[in-house]
Amino acid sequence: SFERMVFLSQCQQAMAIKTAVEYWRCLKPHCMGTLIWQINDTWPVASWASLEYGGGWKLLHYAARRFYHPVLVAMVPGHSRFNTDGQFLLKIVNDHAHAVQMHIDLAAFDEHGNVLLKKTYSEKVAADSVTTLERFSPVADDAIAFYRWSWTTHVKDKTTTGQNEYWLGPYKNYDLPKPVVTAELREDNGNTSVLLTTDKPAYFVSLALGGNRVFSDNGFTLLPGDERTITVERVLNCQYAPVLADLDIQHL
């Protein structure tokens, strides 16, 4: 359908730019910056902009907020002109002008969300640096579909969190489950939010594509047992209160 093509095109766009930017950031100091073409459009059109002509956020714009965070934990393929051993490298990028203390929880999954491996790391990362945390062999366990990790960063008495993942192959190569994602509206002191849960792993969960609402997150992985609370951060070009009951939830 046309609607499904729009969704999949936004997934592909977010994946492509994320893959490139994370790899380039992990090449520091060989690469010291990136510029994405392009940020917005001035009329309705199908393009590679991350913002619609009315200011609505495509999935790429939400992804950019994550992959451009000053502290990023990313996995990149080890095979390049700088590293030819063919392994996958888990790296920490710290763009701060001071060292940061990191705690990282990593797990490996098959496409059905079964945990195949768990590891934790504690690392102090130097200022303005890239640190290789670990190397993973692509043939260590051929049941692994993707790695997923979350981290906590302590910077000058301030704590931030992040989450990322890396798939070892294209989504189309896997037997992805067909989940049922449940959305529950909640009210708290006049503020409306939606609580998302799923019975099976759901990938690229999206509440809406573009439009006049900017969500706290969009286009993410949701696993059974996870609870993700989403709010509307702001409304674009509209004086009315945001409505969360008309969400168009999609996933792979």
Side-chain angles (χ1 to χ4, degrees), residues 235-250:
V235 181
L236 306 167
N237 306 318
C238 181
Q239 61 181 342
Y240 302 107
V243 177
L244 283 169
D246 61 343
L247 298 177
D248 178 24
I249 298 176
Q250 297 195 59

Side-chain angles (χ1 to χ4, degrees), residues 157-170:
D157 298 327
K158 181 180 180 181
T159 299
T160 59
T161 60
Q163 193 174 79
N164 203 354
E165 64 187 49
Y166 186 87
W167 284 72
L168 301 185

Side-chain angles (χ1 to χ4, degrees), residues 130-149:
V130 174
T131 300
T132 298
L133 195 59
E134 188 164 349
R135 299 169 182 264
F136 293 90
S137 170
V139 294
D141 189 341
D142 58 8
I144 294 176
F146 68 100
Y147 293 92
R148 190 181 191 224
W149 55 93

Side-chain angles (χ1 to χ4, degrees), residues 6 17 20 22-23 32 132 153 164 167 185 190 197 202 224 252:
V6 171
I17 303 301
E22 288 189 344
Y23 182 74
M32 292 298 288
T132 298
T153 306
N164 203 354
W167 284 72
L185 289 177
T197 56
L252 289 180

Side-chain angles (χ1 to χ4, degrees), residues 1-6:
S1 67
F2 176 76
E3 292 77 14
R4 196 62 177 169
M5 185 200 73
V6 171

